[in-house]
Amino acid sequence: MDASTRNMIKWVISFLVPATLFLIPTNEVYTFEMNVFLVITLWAVLMFMFELLNTTIISIALTFGYCISGIASLSVALAPWTTPTIWMVFCSLVMVYVVQDTSLLKRIAYHLIIWTGGTYQGILYGIAALSIVACFLIPSLMTSFAIMALAYGICQALNIKKGKTSGGIMLVSALSFLEAGNFLYIPQTTGVAVGAINQITTLPMNSWLYLKHNIVFLPLVFLLTFMIGKLMKPEQPIDGKEYFEKELANLGAMTAVDKKILTILIALVVYLFTCQWHGFDMLYGFIGATILMFIPKIGIGEKKHIEMVDMGTIIFCASCMGIGNVGAAVGIGPALSSVLLPYLGGLNSIAFVGIIFIVGVLANILMTPLALITILAPPLAQIAMDMGITAYPIAYTLCMAGNNLLFPYENTIVLICFGFGLIYMKDFVKVLGAKLILCFIYLLVIGVPYWMLLNLA
């Protein structure tokens, strides 16, 4: 079968499968508006999955498709653009590009790797620690790209070819950052999940509260790093301490600009972790830090840093958040809860969260992590509340599920990591499969009981 025929089949599936939903009879519980919502949403999911059109174009069609069909007003479909999350995402992306023009991340990385010994396992732990520090200072998924690029540079400098050694280094650079997002607030994940749930209930959130709820997942980063080190054990020992000491020396003393940017980032962290006391929204911290980076003699921000931001990413985030808005408007949450509650009502918190995790992992096969979060979070949050559980575990579990996969295409960050060409597919599946099992067990044995102590589950 040639490429054009396969492409045509994908187009037919993308329109025909959603259209079959119109065959389902509507009633007082499953309304016509819900039916249209599911048809449009399923169409978009299939289009995203098959990559038949540019993601931005699909996102625009999805948002305005809800409006044209009459099931949602413009104010509902476009509501995400008025939420803090979208603007925090934009500001964080700008900050990432500004920081990439400094030596901050390299300095931190070299210090950490030297401190951990410079061996193979030391490099892995150093990169894992860097991921946490970087996520702490620059809470954006784009920060992970800089860490992966740094890890790739380390492999090149140490002349590590494609294989277990390089694969371990690259996987730690991507997966550690993703797992750091389990306890450090990132607007593109946690912010989107909370925003989706806020369509049906108020879910207070700030960086300190998120850390308090999820600090128990911090050891998981290093447990995962240890596991990768064992599964991807190098063929020959590595001692790169001398190299990293030399590279750190070559960077010289911190420049005035580096110090200023670091000061701005630290000020942002302080602001974000004191929101519960000063009462201002987290958004203002992101905006203030971004503006400071562009003020002459303070930062190094330039027009190019703003132009580097892919607006398609912003539109995609807003579109996915709009799914939750429209779904809530047509009553998907209460309807799904009324159907599933009789089957789930007897489950305890551990079993319920376990099912949510499995559902999220399976959904991630067919859609992006962001899409699964925004589609599943509102109705599942409704079910949780009807069971007497808070909506927080729903947001947290779906975000974790979106980071657990078996194939590169399921997550953009992991796909880019694989795209550097230093990992064999067999090693990738082995590590990601082991990670999925580890995260599932850790969630149920340690995560959920901790949430229960906090009266969240």
Side-chain angles (χ1 to χ4, degrees), residues 86-100:
I86 289 300
W87 298 101
M88 283 192 285
V89 171
F90 175 78
C91 290
S92 66
L93 293 178
V94 174
M95 286 191 292
V96 169
Y97 290 123
V98 173
V99 172
Q100 281 182 335

Side-chain angles (χ1 to χ4, degrees), residues 143-153 170 173-174 413-414 416-417 420:
T143 308
S144 64
F145 297 165
I147 297 173
M148 287 188 288
L150 184 59
Y152 179 78
M170 293 304 302
S173 70
I413 291 176
V414 177
I416 292 175
C417 176
F420 277 99

Side-chain angles (χ1 to χ4, degrees), residues 131 223 327:
S131 297
L223 187 59

Side-chain angles (χ1 to χ4, degrees), residues 98 256-257 260-261 264 288-303:
V98 173
V257 169
K260 291 175 182 177
I261 295 297
I264 292 173
T290 303
I291 292 175
L292 285 174
M293 287 185 177
F294 282 79
I295 294 179
K297 297 185 178 180
I298 294 181
I300 58 171
E302 301 177 13
K303 180 182 178 182

Side-chain angles (χ1 to χ4, degrees), residues 351-372:
F352 179 66
V353 170
I355 290 176
I356 299 303
F357 182 86
I358 294 172
V359 169
V361 169
L362 293 176
N364 200 31
I365 297 174
L366 299 177
M367 61 185 81
T368 66
L370 195 60
L372 80 86

Side-chain angles (χ1 to χ4, degrees), residues 342-357:
Y343 302 98
L344 301 176
L347 297 177
N348 59 34
S349 297
I350 294 177
F352 179 66
V353 170
I355 290 176
I356 299 303
F357 182 86

Side-chain angles (χ1 to χ4, degrees), residues 205-221:
M205 179 55 62
N206 57 59
S207 294
W208 169 250
L209 186 63
Y210 186 61
L211 180 63
K212 176 185 174 182
H213 286 177
N214 297 283
I215 188 64
V216 71
F217 290 104
L218 192 157
L220 180 59
V221 175

